[in-house]
Each structure stands twice: as structure tokens, then as C-alpha cells.
Amino acid sequence: RGLFPLREVSVIGARGREGKTTVVVGAAIAVAIAHSLARLNPPTNRSVVIYSAEDDRRQYARKIAAQVSLLGTAQADLVTRRLLVPELDSEDMAPFRALVTMADRKPIGTGTDTALVEAITPLMQSDAPPILLVFETASTLSEAEEDNAGYRTLVICLKRVARALNV
């Protein structure tokens, strides 16, 4: 039900430079401030985690700041507290950038989905638990060809996360 059903995976796809990230940031902000999105009202007091292996935090900060500049102070403060973008560019986070890799010419999950569930679970007890996890992940197919088998494996990993966290 809804635009982003709980425990499921919704895919937004288009060629590069078509505005997918801008749409995702707009949707994330709408959820963070509980603003109607496509005539659907997200629940209040919830947060969003954007897991991006494609754009770094600085790029996201600029994109978020551009949209937040259109909001009032109270809503901007909500976005600051409820829109989380982990830094994946550090060397320590390198193992978490790939959800799928290749073994014997077949795509397989890396186990990162399990690690992400463990890392995000404590957030589920916060005052504004995540309800939407955004994975900007086409590049996380690490060495896997971007084919149906690779994407199918990626979606399976994402569904494990969505169902384990009820997001």
C-alpha cells in the first residue's frame, strides 16, 4: 500500500543525469517533515536513511540544502534531524559499498545487507525511527554485470533489509 510500501522494494530507474537523486531527496524530505507526497501522507515522527554508494555526503548535502532552502526554519530543523546520509567514502566503510559481487561468474550477496540491518536496528528504537531506506545502489553491483541476474540478486538483498526492519 502506498507510494513506498512497508517491507517491500520500490525501484526508481532512469538513465544518468535524469534527476533520480533529486526526486529521491524530495521524497525523503517529504517523509522527514511528514508532508503529503503524491497525495499520500507519510506517518509523523519518522526518519529516512539514504545509503548512497554513488554520490558522497557532500553531494547529498548540496542537493538537500537546495531543497531545504525552500522550507521554513521548523521544517528545515526536522530535515536536519531526520534525514541521515552515512559517509561511505572512508576506507573503513569500503566493505559496505557493495551489496552484490561476482563468484564463479554469478552474482551473489556480499552479506552487507545483514550488516546494515544490525547497524540500523538501534535506530528503530529512536524518537523518529526510519520508515524509508533509500539505496542509491546500481553501482553496488561491484564487478557484477548490470544484468537481470545482478539486479535480481540486488533486489533480494534489499528485500531482506526492508523486511527485517519493517521499512
Side-chain angles (χ1 to χ4, degrees), residues 2-167:
L3 187 61
F4 300 112
L6 288 176
R7 302 176 56 87
E8 289 298 332
V9 174
S10 299
V11 177
I12 298 172
R15 286 181 275 181
R17 315 292 310 156
E18 294 291 329
K20 296 179 298 294
T21 302
T22 300
V23 169
V24 164
V25 168
I29 289 171
V31 170
I33 65 174
H35 186 271
S36 175
L37 180 64
R39 297 188 184 169
L40 299 171
N41 296 319
T44 59
N45 298 322
R46 299 304 290 266
S47 62
V48 178
V49 177
I50 298 177
Y51 177 85
S52 177
E54 295 183 6
D55 291 333
D56 64 27
R57 280 185 81 190
R58 276 181 247 127
Q59 289 172 303
Y60 261 97
R62 285 192 300 272
K63 292 171 184 182
I64 292 166
Q67 292 191 34
V68 167
S69 70
L70 304 173
L71 302 174
T73 304
Q75 289 180 324
D77 183 53
L78 284 176
V79 172
T80 300
R81 289 184 285 124
R82 295 184 181 162
L83 185 51
L84 311 170
V85 184
E87 178 63 70
L88 298 180
D89 287 336
S90 72
E91 193 173 311
D92 294 342
M93 296 298 285
F96 295 100
R97 286 189 213 122
L99 294 170
V100 176
T101 191
M102 295 298 286
D104 296 326
R105 294 194 274 180
K106 292 183 183 177
I108 60 165
T110 60
T112 298
D113 52 338
T114 302
L116 287 169
V117 169
E118 290 174 12
I120 294 170
T121 295
L123 293 175
M124 302 310 288
Q125 307 307 316
S126 70
D127 292 338
I131 192 165
L132 179 64
L133 299 181
V134 175
F135 289 85
E136 193 174 28
T137 57
S139 67
T140 65
L141 291 174
S142 173
E143 299 179 25
E145 291 185 27
E146 293 183 4
D147 60 8
N148 287 341
Y151 284 118
R152 186 172 31 255
T153 305
L154 178 62
V155 169
I156 288 168
C157 290
L158 295 175
K159 280 186 177 185
R160 279 191 212 121
V161 173
R163 291 178 179 159
L165 296 171
N166 196 36
V167 294

